[in-house]
Amino acid sequence: MNVMRPMPAGQVGRSVPRLEAREKVTGRADYVHNLVVPGMLYTKVFRSTVPHGRIVSIDTSAAEAVEGVYRVVTGEDIRKVVPEPYYGPAFHDQPVLALDKVRHVGEPVAVVLAEDPYVAAEAVQLITAEYEELEPVFDEVEAVTSRAVVHEVLKPAGTFPDLKHLVGRRDTNVALDYQLRRGDVDAAFAAADRVFEHEFRTQQTMHTPLEPMVSLAIPGHESLTIHTASQSPSFVRIEIARLLGWPENRVRVVVPHLGGGFGAKLYIKLEALVACLALLVRRPVKLSLTMEEQFYTISKHASTFRIRSSVKDGKITGRRCEVFWNGGAYADIGPRVTQKSGFTAPGPYDIDNVSIDSYALYTNRPPAGALRGFGIPQLVWAYESHTDLIARELEIDPVEFRRNNILREGREQATGTAMKDAAIEAVLEDIVARMDWSKPFDRGTGPLRRGRGIAIGFKASISPTTSVAIVNVYGDGSSSLYLSTVDMGQGSDTAMAQIVGETLGIETENVKVIHPDTDVTPYDMATLGSRSTFHMGNAVKLAAQHARDQLDALARSLGLPPGTNYGPKDLFKKKYGMQAGNIVGVGSYIPDYKSPDPATGLSDNVTPFWMIGGTGVEIEVDTETGHVRILRMVNAVDCGRPLNPKIVETQLSGAALMQLGFTLFENMEYDNGQVTNASFADYKIPGIHDLPARIENDIVEAEQKSGPYGAKGVGESATFGVSPAIANAIHDAVGVRLTEMPLTPEAVFRAIRAQKG
Amino acid sequence: MRGFELVHPASLGEAIKLLDTDDPTVRPFSGGTALMLMMKAGVFQPSRLVDLGGIEPEHAAVEATGDGGLKLGAMATLAQVERSADVMRVAPVIPRAMKRLANVRVRNVARIGGNLAHGDPHMDLPPVLSSLGGEVAVTGPAGERRIAIESLFSGYYETVLSQGELIRQVILPPQRGWASAYMKCTTRSADDWPALGVAVSLKLTDGAVQDSRIMVSAATEKLTRLAAAEAALEGAQPGEAAFARAADAAATEAETIDDARGSAEYKTELLRVYVKRALAEAVRNGAVQ
Ligand SMILES: Cc1cc2nc3c(=O)[nH]c(=O)nc-3n(C[C@H](O)[C@H](O)[C@H](O)COP(=O)(O)OP(=O)(O)OC[C@H]3O[C@@H](n4cnc5c(N)ncnc54)[C@H](O)[C@@H]3O)c2cc1C
């Protein structure tokens, strides 16, 4: 740009304090929970008490008789507004309210609407339903062959070409059977020195955003406005418009601040329900879930992973992966997890012969979707535990064994896509160096035994996806950024403003970020899978460049010489004779992508970028009780060039601690499909006392050449290595191997006892 | 919608009158930290709550007695007890236990009386106060009686208090010469409800255990005194061998239960370890002078 800028570049790479921090800590930030509009009705949901059953009858009369109840609504009433009320991003399988059948405990069956939320809560307890109970299935492996069938017919959404072959498939719980074939695995097994096989399992957990899901729909004249705590406003608009058979422009979705998301608030959660209710009763309708209800809304996939590897001369020559994902009663985004994460199941290793089968299963549990890592932590847990076990068996140092097999820059990953800008080795070596791996290690005394472990993982960005951004430079030279990326606490507003600041040469703090409002902000696929920094970041940079180019053109048209000291404000003044006008820069970004061959799963361009993360831990095991204490945790990632190092660091510690909870104790426990610990009193997440005694977060020197200012996503990368690093360290400390999460003290204790005989 | 009545008596006597009914939905309310959770979860719907906040201030007093014991008014907050110089001198095990009891916000509102009366076997104070030989003074329509804290609990969330009876005060006997320790063990997050609580008090005379009180909570249906473990210690030299014998006796006699925090079997093993550790810690802490 030729127009002189008031300050030099240097916005990117600076730890700009979070733009919204003051608003949040002083309680001024706006959340949907605080939003009240005139005439609003509150909703309380009546939920299924059986895991699988046909609805025989629903009795709402007693609830309707409660004074103050405005209306009670069931699934059949919803049909008056939407004849085919089934939604979902991959499958149109989820009814707005249950129709004919219920498929999990906690499934919404009816709702009470009242002006007073306490009246609604009391009345909902008076609703009764009769079910003809059907045999349920809860386990993902049993679901493959079980007599119990959750959905009689598969209903893929039709938007994904790789789901087309599933249309109309009957009497199966397999929602997606993804496969990849590369080389000849059987031949590799036959020619190997040794073959190793293990099975690893993970449990179902929950996102526990501190702000539970909440949505408010306001009917207008041939229009509808939805205020919602959503990570995907554009998707919500498109899906609600599809359900109603309306054009997109009649549905407006507004998203203020979010109190956490972690993947729980993607796609449709409460929006379809409040939209239908608002249109049915022609009044604004709000639904705020309790923490308890979130456990029945969305969760993280439980999984089983069978992994088999052949080794010859210390090199892994073949690997067969069979992964079963417990998707619960509705597919949500599970089939994407199955495929988009599934193809990385062999791990960041250079293996010529690979076979992957990854299955999305329906079961009678609450649905599972995306949770910080999109399935990757489940995979890394298995392949990095497996890697350590092989190294141990072969009596090779686990770091050395990884070095021998690591996937180097330029080599092809299982899909056939060459690794580019993927600092896998650098991440491994960074952790190894920090932990002084080659130095002697204090192994503890008495009942306290010490051990250490390392694990690395990687993830492909979900593709192809689009982001659009607008930068508006106003008459006085100040500017705003319009985008539908949702800042749910990860700091995207600040990072995106930094990109605008860097490109326009203005201070980040002076860029105003306009929060998602689909009437105002342009399309974005969703805030998920660490895609925003790269995709939206590129779109924002293009939008800012577009604005800058127009400012340059304006200067030229006004006859000013290149390098003029006229700022944007002066240009507008000179052109319009007063403070007036504006310049709108638009940026739209979609990366190149080649979809994998349906038969082989191969593609030479399967992702626009790779995320790399690893963890090393030093731990102490109390051999008398099984308690594990993390003395030290080292997390390292390749996130390209960090736009804001401080935010990256908090993303690393946050991701690692979240995964620490999933690793050590978080677990949704069940009794015949009922979650028995669905509250914060009984479902424990890590607190301040659970932090490792020492935690270090490292950003390795790297650059994502195709990213905005060399950056790429980082919200999930520090989750990858945590679980297997800890299991590997436990093995190192006390010689026992846990293959099922969570790694509770009792599990460790029992393994130690079993080993002693 | 069903509401409830909230009444604010100005004296203990008045409170007892307001509570003198057969209706179990009429309950006293002290800090409310336990009661409100039950109301929110829908497991308790009151018709009347009798707020004890306005009764005579003497019922919130915390003070040493002339003989080297303590009196804790039932309405004293946990934080008040935690910070009392008298408590620190007479029974330092109490403020030590407070550090890991809930959090500062809860301790600022929860009361001693509510903590004991709730009957939740996961609470920390019942094992601690009973291992110190504590009693409660209870007042009701039929007058006043004293109950040893170790006998206060009749089952899971059940006490021997009858409807209308209020805990007025906790009385601790002189602690001189007693060494005490409390240990709790969580198996999920550090701030989880304990899988096990063990409180021990030892009286050492001429290098031998003259008397002891060993209490287990959380792992059992209700607070339980471990008589066999105490018998195993009697007259013994404090040390690993005697503590191991007591621990084995404890593991044999305690009836541990399964729950989400661990199996009964595992809790028995934890008990064996923690009795040993708590006894050793009591010795390390030393006797109160
Ligand atoms: C987040 C959280 C964490 C916690 N963590 C711990 C912990 O780590 N360790 C622990 O020990 N506890 C813990 N607690 C429990 C806490 O200690 C109890 O809730 C508290 O002590 C109860 O006291 P209160 O005054 O609030 O009782 P209330 O809720 O007012 O009453 C509890 C019960 O006692 C009855 N009651 C109250 N006062 C009297 C009286 N004087 N006489 C007779 N009956 C009476 C009430 O009717 C009710 O049934 C935790 C609680 C919370 C909310």
Side-chain angles (χ1 to χ4, degrees):
Chain A
M1 173 163 168
N2 291 324
V3 175
M4 200 191 95
R5 282 182 281 288
M7 64 171 285
Q11 295 304 309
V12 154
R14 176 162 79 91
S15 287
V16 178
R18 297 260 292 263
L19 300 181
E20 77 292 2
R22 279 197 173 72
E23 227 187 318
K24 280 189 176 167
V25 298
T26 54
R28 290 184 177 87
D30 49 338
Y31 293 91
V32 183
H33 269 284
N34 300 330
L35 190 59
V36 173
V37 298
M40 189 173 92
L41 296 171
Y42 290 90
T43 313
K44 195 74 192 172
V45 180
F46 171 75
R47 295 172 182 279
S48 170
T49 49
V50 302
H52 197 193
R54 277 186 205 294
I55 301 172
V56 178
S57 63
I58 306 169
D59 184 352
T60 59
S61 54
E64 275 157 5
V66 173
E67 198 187 320
V69 167
Y70 186 79
R71 178 140 179 208
V72 182
V73 175
T74 65
E76 288 305 326
D77 299 319
I78 298 291
R79 283 199 200 268
K80 290 173 197 148
V81 187
V82 178
E84 265 301 300
Y86 292 93
Y87 62 86
F91 285 71
H92 292 159
D93 59 355
Q94 191 157 5
V96 174
L97 286 174
L99 290 164
D100 317 324
K101 242 176 103 161
V102 287
R103 297 182 178 85
H104 68 93
V105 172
E107 176 161 6
V109 172
V111 300
V112 177
L113 294 168
E115 277 174 21
D116 181 335
Y118 296 98
V119 168
E122 193 174 306
V124 88
Q125 294 183 25
L126 303 175
I127 299 178
T128 56
E130 237 187 282
Y131 306 98
E132 175 201 332
E133 288 203 43
L134 302 170
E135 188 187 335
V137 58
F138 301 117
D139 181 274
E140 62 274 11
V141 178
E142 283 168 23
V144 179
T145 53
S146 73
R147 276 183 303 148
V149 175
V150 182
H151 292 266
E152 284 68 23
V153 189
L154 299 188
K155 294 197 272 185
T159 34
F160 299 111
D162 59 308
L163 301 179
K164 286 234 165 73
H165 69 291
L166 299 167
V167 174
R169 204 176 269 193
R170 293 193 71 87
D171 297 326
T172 177
N173 292 320
V174 181
L176 175 67
D177 45 354
Y178 164 75
Q179 63 173 43
L180 180 147
R181 300 287 181 266
R182 177 183 179 77
D184 185 342
V185 173
D186 291 322
F189 286 161
D193 299 338
R194 299 274 304 268
V195 176
F196 301 89
E197 183 165 3
H198 301 105
E199 180 178 298
F200 298 92
R201 303 197 64 162
T202 66
Q203 80 285 24
Q204 192 178 8
T205 57
M206 209 268 276
H207 310 64
T208 59
L210 292 185
E211 172 206 43
M213 289 138 199
V214 54
S215 302
L216 163 59
I218 306 170
H221 174 66
E222 297 189 346
S223 68
L224 186 68
T225 301
I226 304 174
H227 297 267
T228 180
S230 170
Q231 296 175 231
S232 49
S234 302
F235 180 90
V236 169
R237 174 161 78 164
I238 291 170
E239 187 71 345
I240 297 295
R242 180 188 70 79
L243 285 169
L244 297 174
W246 288 7
E248 273 192 59
N249 65 2
R250 285 171 54 191
V251 180
R252 177 181 176 198
V253 179
V254 187
V255 178
H257 287 287
L258 255 64
F262 312 109
K265 296 172 180 170
L266 282 166
Y267 312 109
I268 297 294
K269 288 296 167 290
L270 312 179
E271 294 87 354
L273 180 55
V274 293
C276 291
L277 293 172
L279 293 176
L280 199 62
V281 301
R282 301 298 312 171
R283 281 178 70 164
V285 170
K286 184 174 186 179
L287 173 53
S288 319
L289 293 194
T290 60
M291 184 58 71
E292 290 74 5
E293 287 176 294
Q294 287 203 106
F295 285 89
Y296 292 105
T297 309
I298 195 74
S299 66
K300 175 168 172 159
H301 287 84
S303 68
T304 301
F305 187 166
R306 294 182 187 141
I307 182 166
R308 188 174 148 94
S309 301
S310 54
V311 180
K312 196 170 168 63
D313 304 325
K315 288 279 292 175
I316 306 168
T317 55
R319 182 162 278 182
R320 170 167 288 145
C321 305
E322 265 188 299
V323 196
F324 303 86
W325 302 93
N326 194 325
Y330 297 103
D332 200 85
I333 201 63
R336 299 280 92 183
V337 171
T338 304
Q339 189 226 343
K340 299 283 177 182
S341 291
F343 70 69
T344 68
Y349 299 108
D350 198 338
I351 309 173
D352 288 335
N353 306 289
V354 175
S355 157
I356 304 169
D357 288 285
S358 183
Y359 303 99
L361 276 319
Y362 280 123
T363 65
N364 295 109
R365 296 202 205 187
L371 196 165
R372 206 169 197 170
F374 215 70
I376 298 296
Q378 290 97 318
L379 299 173
V380 187
W381 152 248
Y383 65 64
E384 282 297 81
S385 294
H386 181 64
T387 302
D388 244 51
L389 281 165
I390 297 174
R392 253 167 207 285
E393 280 287 313
L394 297 175
E395 294 178 13
I396 304 175
D397 175 79
V399 168
E400 220 31 64
F401 183 65
R402 285 181 173 84
R403 283 183 181 133
N404 292 343
N405 288 285
I406 208 159
L407 193 54
R408 288 173 208 282
E409 188 78 4
R411 295 287 299 169
E412 282 183 13
Q413 190 269 341
T415 51
T417 299
M419 299 306 290
K420 208 163 78 188
D421 295 344
I424 304 176
E425 268 184 283
V427 164
L428 175 66
E429 296 305 337
D430 181 86
I431 301 167
V432 168
R434 290 224 156 224
M435 294 185 72
D436 283 327
W437 192 263
S438 53
K439 299 242 176 74
F441 179 68
D442 172 7
R443 308 217 138 258
T445 50
L448 299 179
R449 295 286 156 183
R450 291 180 171 204
R452 53 189 179 161
I454 279 184
I456 53 170
F458 75 140
K459 177 176 190 276
S461 175
I462 192 161
S463 199
T465 69
T466 303
S467 291
V468 184
I470 294 172
V471 169
N472 195 337
V473 182
Y474 304 124
D476 66 350
S478 68
S479 56
S480 287
L481 169 63
Y482 298 65
L483 81 178
S484 294
T485 293
V486 176
D487 193 335
M488 50 190 160
Q490 81 278 34
S492 57
D493 281 2
T494 310
M496 297 301 168
Q498 285 180 264
I499 294 174
V500 175
E502 180 79 23
T503 312
L504 290 185
I506 55 177
E507 242 185 299
T508 303
E509 287 82 347
N510 292 338
V511 177
K512 180 175 178 189
V513 180
I514 312 286
H515 281 164
D517 175 344
T518 56
D519 269 8
V520 177
T521 56
Y523 176 87
D524 179 44
M525 182 261 187
T527 305
L528 61 77
S530 307
R531 64 174 289 283
S532 301
T533 296
F534 182 86
H535 294 83
M536 186 56 85
N538 269 320
V540 167
K541 190 176 171 202
L542 289 170
Q545 279 168 349
H546 186 211
R548 197 180 64 185
D549 292 346
Q550 292 178 71
L551 285 168
D552 286 347
L554 179 57
R556 276 197 308 277
S557 75
L558 295 170
L560 295 164
T564 170
N565 60 359
Y566 270 60
K569 175 184 171 182
D570 311 314
L571 294 178
F572 285 119
K573 186 110 192 250
K574 192 169 164 61
K575 179 169 168 79
Y576 298 110
M578 58 192 283
Q579 182 175 324
N582 54 359
I583 275 181
V584 179
V586 181
S588 181
Y589 183 78
I590 183 167
D592 291 337
Y593 170 74
K594 192 164 134 199
S595 74
D597 179 297
T600 62
L602 302 183
S603 159
D604 61 9
N605 190 6
V606 81
T607 180
F609 67 95
W610 301 96
M611 292 158 256
I612 322 292
T615 295
V617 291
E618 295 175 5
I619 63 150
E620 186 170 80
V621 180
D622 184 333
T623 54
E624 289 182 336
T625 64
H627 278 88
V628 172
R629 200 157 75 90
I630 318 269
L631 305 171
R632 186 174 177 206
M633 173 186 262
V634 179
N635 303 305
V637 299
D638 164 12
C639 60
R641 288 217 177 109
L643 295 175
N644 184 320
K646 184 70 201 168
I647 292 182
V648 170
E649 197 193 325
T650 56
Q651 283 298 302
L652 298 193
S653 57
L657 294 174
M658 193 160 183
Q659 189 64 29
L660 184 74
F662 298 149
T663 306
L664 295 179
F665 44 79
E666 287 184 48
N667 188 10
M668 286 168 64
E669 304 195 28
Y670 283 93
D671 179 9
N672 191 36
Q674 166 108 31
V675 185
T676 56
N677 61 341
S679 80
F680 265 164
D682 290 312
Y683 180 95
K684 304 309 293 187
I685 62 171
I688 202 79
H689 296 295
D690 297 296
L691 260 57
R694 222 171 118 189
I695 178 163
E696 295 150 59
N697 300 302
D698 247 12
I699 305 166
V700 304
E701 184 79 34
E703 183 185 1
Q704 179 65 38
K705 293 189 192 70
S706 54
Y709 298 107
K712 62 182 164 193
V714 71
E716 303 158 300
S717 305
T719 63
F720 302 164
V722 173
S723 309
I726 294 173
N728 292 343
I730 292 172
H731 197 161
D732 188 47
V734 291
V736 301
R737 173 59 57 169
L738 300 187
T739 56
E740 199 163 328
M741 286 183 10
L743 314 177
T744 61
E746 180 162 358
V748 175
F749 177 82
R750 285 183 181 277
I752 293 173
R753 277 294 165 97
Q755 177 201 39
K756 283 187 183 150
Chain B
M1 198 186 98
R2 266 169 296 171
F4 62 86
E5 191 190 3
L6 179 61
V7 292
H8 307 278
S11 70
L12 185 68
E14 204 188 318
I16 288 168
K17 280 203 199 85
L18 286 163
L19 289 162
D20 188 10
T21 139
D22 294 335
D23 183 354
T25 64
V26 176
R27 285 270 271 272
F29 179 99
S30 55
T33 60
L35 221 42
M36 303 266 277
L37 282 182
M38 292 169 68
M39 288 163 61
K40 190 171 159 249
V43 293
F44 174 60
Q45 286 192 333
S47 61
R48 179 195 294 163
L49 290 180
V50 179
D51 175 21
L52 304 180
I55 66 170
E56 299 89 343
E58 67 198 66
H59 301 300
V62 173
E63 59 198 8
T65 55
D67 59 359
L70 279 174
K71 284 188 174 166
L72 316 175
M75 288 302 287
T77 64
L78 304 191
Q80 211 183 322
V81 174
E82 176 185 359
R83 290 194 287 261
S84 151
D86 284 343
V87 176
M88 180 53 96
R89 187 164 38 79
V90 174
V93 66
I94 298 175
R96 272 200 296 271
M98 290 288 190
K99 298 282 179 259
R100 271 194 72 196
L101 191 157
N103 53 54
V104 110
R105 298 175 301 286
V106 171
R107 295 199 297 273
N108 277 338
V109 261
R111 318 285 165 143
I112 294 288
N115 190 286
L116 293 175
H118 194 47
D120 179 346
H122 302 98
M123 301 268 198
D124 296 310
L125 292 182
V128 173
L129 297 177
S130 58
S131 76
L132 300 175
E135 293 181 316
V136 282
V138 172
T139 312
E144 170 131 345
R145 58 174 177 147
R146 284 227 190 171
I147 306 167
I149 294 173
E150 64 177 73
S151 314
L152 182 62
F153 305 98
S154 52
Y156 198 64
Y157 285 88
E158 282 170 19
T159 67
V160 299
L161 298 177
S162 43
Q163 173 76 27
E165 270 190 321
L166 283 176
I167 296 177
R168 184 178 60 77
Q169 195 176 56
V170 172
I171 303 121
L172 294 183
Q175 297 296 315
R176 240 172 256 122
W178 287 83
S180 306
Y182 174 65
M183 286 188 135
K184 72 168 159 181
C185 170
T186 62
T187 53
R188 300 185 298 189
S189 65
D191 66 357
D192 191 9
W193 292 106
L196 169 77
V198 173
V200 301
S201 262
L202 296 174
K203 181 149 201 181
L204 301 173
T205 312
D206 304 329
V209 180
Q210 189 206 332
D211 200 356
S212 66
R213 291 187 213 100
I214 303 182
M215 312 297 305
V216 58
S217 62
T220 46
E221 197 183 49
K222 58 177 180 139
L223 174 72
T224 307
R225 184 164 179 179
L226 298 172
E230 292 174 8
L233 277 182
E234 203 175 319
Q237 300 286 320
E240 250 176 66
F243 294 167
R245 279 199 303 280
D248 289 339
T252 309
E253 76 179 306
E255 288 175 27
T256 54
I257 52 171
D258 287 315
D259 63 16
R261 290 163 210 95
S263 67
E265 222 180 345
Y266 175 57
K267 288 183 194 164
T268 298
E269 293 313 310
L270 287 179
L271 177 64
R272 198 189 304 277
V273 174
Y274 274 85
V275 166
K276 264 187 285 198
R277 292 183 184 178
L279 288 169
E281 173 152 324
V283 171
R284 269 197 307 278
N285 288 341
V288 172
Q289 300 302 310

